[in-house]
Amino acid sequence: MKMLINVAETVVADALRGMAAAHPELTVDVDNRVIVRRDAPVAGRVGLVSGGGSGHEPLHGGFVGPGMLSAACPGEVFTSPVPDQMLRAAAAVNSGAGVLFIVKNYTGDVLNFDMAAELAEDEGIRIAKVLVNDDVAVTDSLYTAGRRGTGATLFVEKIAGAAAEEGAPLEQVQALARQVNESSRSFGVALSACTTPAKGSPTFDLPPGELELGVGIHGEPGRERRAMMTSSEIADFSVHAILEDLNPRSPVLLLVNGMGATPLLELYGFNAEVQRLLGERGVPVARTLVGNYVTSLDMAGASVTLCQVDEELLRLWDAPVKTPGLRWGV
């Protein structure tokens, strides 16, 4: 496999050095693997910390900045960061108003963030947590007990980040984050397997002419494999799976997310099919985001995430944000 890297052992450090050079508005600690907005801690504001294995960029480091995360902790590829990283991040962004940990539901992330929360509280930092578990494809997987955390992570980080930016207290920011997670559902489809730098070959076997319905962002198995389907058929399967579990009674945010190797030409076409189906089912779409946001290295495919919103959640979604991966209103 051809990859634009030096050696597998330094791929995360090399990426962080490049990120630091491209984004002077961030403080990137390459050695300790922590990315912090340069103006942190912001006086009187709740700090938001998230993180996870590398390979899902721009999640999470690309979402650090005003209106979103205060800090992010990148682990090795598809590997949870360690509690020391999370503790450093919490200390760097704590202004005395508390810190919210946003945790995707993967066993390593959950255990390490729990341990980091205990260590932070021992140092006098008030911690709250929210678990993201929006994937309807499967109940348990290779990496999780319960549903996986996927595309809704972006919605949680953006809306909670906007509330924190406005000075909302920790309990309110946590409640909003939980509301967003509970109002969100996702479903992903893989057209090809991804390749980790360490392995140098596809992480799972997906024969030519087949796709995986309900795949996880680390290549975890989904609901079933089928012969290749059209964009319309994939959209129908994905939307049906989500609406089986979510019955929106108000408008939704829609994320049509690329897994890393699918071009925008295809993603926009896929979005057209998803929008058509939602229209036929009477689900109004308030806002749409199309692109690569929660990726899986070089996997071809896409995921769909819906989040039911009220006026307040929509207002917070529209609030200004200035990060490497998401930016508007500034």
Side-chain angles (χ1 to χ4, degrees):
M1 301 294 294
K2 295 179 180 178
M3 307 183 81
L4 195 63
I5 65 173
N6 293 317
V7 293
E9 291 76 14
T10 65
V11 66
V12 174
D14 291 345
L16 290 175
R17 288 191 295 104
M19 188 176 198
H23 297 287
E25 72 276 17
L26 302 177
T27 299
V28 182
D29 184 338
V30 177
D31 293 332
N32 293 301
R33 307 287 175 90
V34 178
I35 303 164
V36 182
R37 52 185 284 183
R38 188 167 288 279
D39 60 353
V42 181
R45 298 293 187 265
V46 170
L48 266 65
V49 174
S50 192
S54 296
H56 305 302
E57 291 73 21
L59 190 81
H60 294 274
F63 297 147
V64 174
M68 215 160 172
L69 293 177
S70 309
C73 310
E76 292 296 329
V77 173
F78 290 0
T79 302
S80 171
V82 298
D84 282 353
Q85 291 173 261
M86 301 158 187
L87 180 60
R88 286 178 182 273
V93 305
N94 179 44
S95 69
V99 175
L100 178 67
F101 283 169
I102 298 172
V103 188
K104 301 191 306 303
N105 188 31
Y106 296 95
T107 302
D109 290 0
V110 172
L111 292 173
N112 286 344
F113 269 104
D114 282 349
M115 187 178 300
E118 293 177 7
L119 294 171
E121 287 167 350
D122 287 343
E123 295 192 6
I125 302 172
R126 193 157 54 105
I127 300 291
K129 293 176 286 185
V130 62
L131 188 68
V132 182
N133 57 351
D134 55 303
D135 186 2
V136 302
V138 294
T139 300
D140 298 300
S141 75
L142 300 177
Y143 292 77
T144 64
R147 290 179 167 176
R148 304 175 292 216
T150 57
T153 313
L154 183 152
F155 292 152
V156 171
E157 293 177 354
K158 170 62 184 77
I159 290 172
E165 199 73 31
E166 292 178 354
L170 181 60
E171 294 77 12
Q172 183 181 344
V173 176
Q174 181 188 38
L176 283 165
R178 286 178 171 167
Q179 180 184 350
V180 172
N181 177 64
E182 291 164 3
S183 302
S184 300
R185 302 290 188 276
S186 296
F187 191 87
V189 179
L191 310 182
S192 73
C194 58
T195 303
T196 62
K199 191 170 187 289
S201 60
T203 54
F204 63 97
D205 178 39
L206 187 57
E210 293 187 8
L211 52 73
E212 181 87 30
L213 294 164
V215 73
I217 57 173
H218 307 97
E220 308 100 314
R223 291 188 177 181
E224 62 179 287
R225 289 188 177 181
R226 288 191 183 181
M228 186 60 195
M229 301 155 65
T230 65
S231 176
S232 176
E233 292 167 336
I234 295 170
D236 185 71
F237 196 102
S238 302
V239 170
H240 178 74
I242 291 172
L243 294 184
E244 271 190 323
D245 205 274
L246 181 72
N247 183 24
R249 301 184 184 277
S250 60
V252 297
L253 303 176
L254 167 62
L255 170 63
V256 172
N257 172 67
M259 294 293 197
T262 298
L264 277 171
L265 179 71
E266 296 176 35
L267 291 176
Y268 278 121
F270 185 56
N271 177 56
E273 299 299 336
V274 171
Q275 298 269 359
R276 174 183 60 79
L277 288 159
L278 292 173
E280 290 174 357
R281 312 244 179 135
V283 180
V285 178
R287 302 287 187 273
T288 303
L289 193 61
V290 179
N292 290 296
Y293 294 99
V294 183
T295 62
S296 184
L297 294 169
D298 60 342
M299 182 186 288
S303 63
V304 177
T305 303
L306 299 182
C307 176
Q308 182 176 232
V309 291
D310 55 22
E311 290 184 3
E312 177 65 2
L313 293 186
L314 187 58
R315 184 189 71 81
L316 291 168
W317 174 257
D318 288 339
V321 60
K322 187 178 181 182
T323 72
L326 206 66
R327 180 177 302 218
W328 58 66
V330 290

